[in-house]
Amino acid sequence: MSGLRLDRSALQIGATFVLIALSFFISLTLITNSEEALFYVVVVWCIYYVCHIIFYKARLHHYMHHRMGKNRAWTVYEAVLGVVYFNQGWCVVMFLQHYTSSLDLQVPHLLIFLVGAITFLISTVAKVWATLLVGMDVYYYRDLFLDEAGDGGLVTTGPYSIFSNPMYGVGNLSVYGAAIEAGSLEGLLVAIIFQGSIYLFYGIVELPFIKRVYSSHDGK
């Protein structure tokens, strides 16, 4: 879930790794204060959430299919998305380094640590469990990008039997836990905005796709 898929070709792995490494070192070099950390978060938010919605609503994935062929287009999209995934998580880490101790919690530090650790554990288990059920391809939006149902159909077992979208719900609790542990009110606001934005993406892009493609697929 760091953005690097090791089950891909050596070329794709190498290209994705180089771009992730560049993102890592450039961010460490350029981000030296809170304003720059905030700018990094805003840029990542715009790319992953805003541009991702525009990408699908403008049917740019279909344009890529036409220009490159579905297989090549998917390879390019997956590699780029992997780099974006890394930056989505890393920008929060960088942000919390510059926005700390603004949340005045009159509780023992040990309790704050436990809340953060437990939240992170629950979030990680939920996201990994959900990913194992739907598969890594769906985690990278392969079905959505190719505009076709995945091989496994619509998953309704495991965490999906309790939550309609465990990845976006419980799976995002780790950001809240990290913000609480850092004592960052601004970090909590970023967590809320990021989670609200992914649900917006789900409602505008993913849910209509699921209803259109998987309903007809299951009815065959």
Side-chain angles (χ1 to χ4, degrees):
M1 295 182 185
S2 65
L4 184 64
R5 292 196 65 171
L6 300 179
D7 58 342
R8 291 304 187 241
S9 68
L11 179 61
Q12 183 175 338
I13 293 172
T16 306
F17 177 80
V18 168
L19 291 174
I20 288 175
L22 281 174
S23 299
F24 176 76
F25 287 112
I26 290 174
S27 64
L28 287 179
T29 303
L30 298 182
I31 299 175
T32 59
N33 56 54
S34 58
E35 289 79 11
E36 291 165 350
L38 177 60
F39 179 75
Y40 184 24
V41 166
V42 172
V43 169
V44 172
W45 176 79
C46 287
I47 293 173
Y48 182 56
Y49 299 105
V50 178
C51 292
H52 218 189
I53 291 174
I54 295 173
F55 176 82
Y56 279 106
K57 295 304 290 183
R59 302 176 69 83
L60 295 180
H61 55 313
H62 287 185
Y63 175 77
M64 289 181 66
H65 298 169
H66 175 71
R67 295 289 295 180
M68 306 170 67
K70 280 192 172 183
N71 290 335
R72 187 181 176 191
W74 161 242
T75 298
V76 172
Y77 173 81
E78 184 184 36
V80 172
L81 186 59
V83 178
V84 175
Y85 274 163
F86 168 78
N87 281 278
Q88 181 197 19
W90 182 241
C91 76
V92 174
V93 174
M94 295 293 291
F95 184 84
L96 291 178
Q97 289 181 359
H98 294 279
Y99 289 89
T100 60
S101 305
S102 58
L103 190 61
D104 187 17
L105 296 174
Q106 301 299 321
V107 294
H109 180 72
L110 178 60
L111 181 59
I112 295 176
F113 171 79
L114 289 175
V115 169
I118 292 172
T119 303
F120 180 83
L121 179 62
I122 293 173
S123 173
T124 302
V125 168
K127 182 164 284 191
V128 170
W129 188 8
T131 303
L132 289 174
L133 287 174
V134 301
M136 285 297 293
D137 282 347
V138 172
Y139 182 79
Y140 276 78
Y141 302 115
R142 184 178 189 273
D143 53 345
L144 178 63
F145 179 80
L146 297 181
D147 202 16
E148 60 188 30
D151 295 335
L154 191 63
V155 176
T156 57
T157 59
Y160 288 95
S161 64
I162 304 172
F163 306 102
S164 60
N165 203 320
M167 287 192 192
Y168 296 162
V170 180
N172 273 320
L173 290 180
S174 57
V175 183
Y176 294 91
I180 290 173
E181 192 168 341
S184 176
L185 177 60
E186 297 88 350
L188 286 176
L189 292 175
V190 168
I192 292 171
I193 292 171
F194 273 26
Q195 188 169 37
S197 298
I198 197 61
Y199 271 116
L200 185 64
F201 172 80
Y202 175 72
I204 293 176
V205 177
E206 279 192 282
L207 188 57
F209 163 78
I210 291 171
K211 290 180 177 179
R212 174 173 56 86
V213 174
Y214 281 97
S215 294
S216 59
H217 178 76
D218 293 341
K220 290 181 179 179

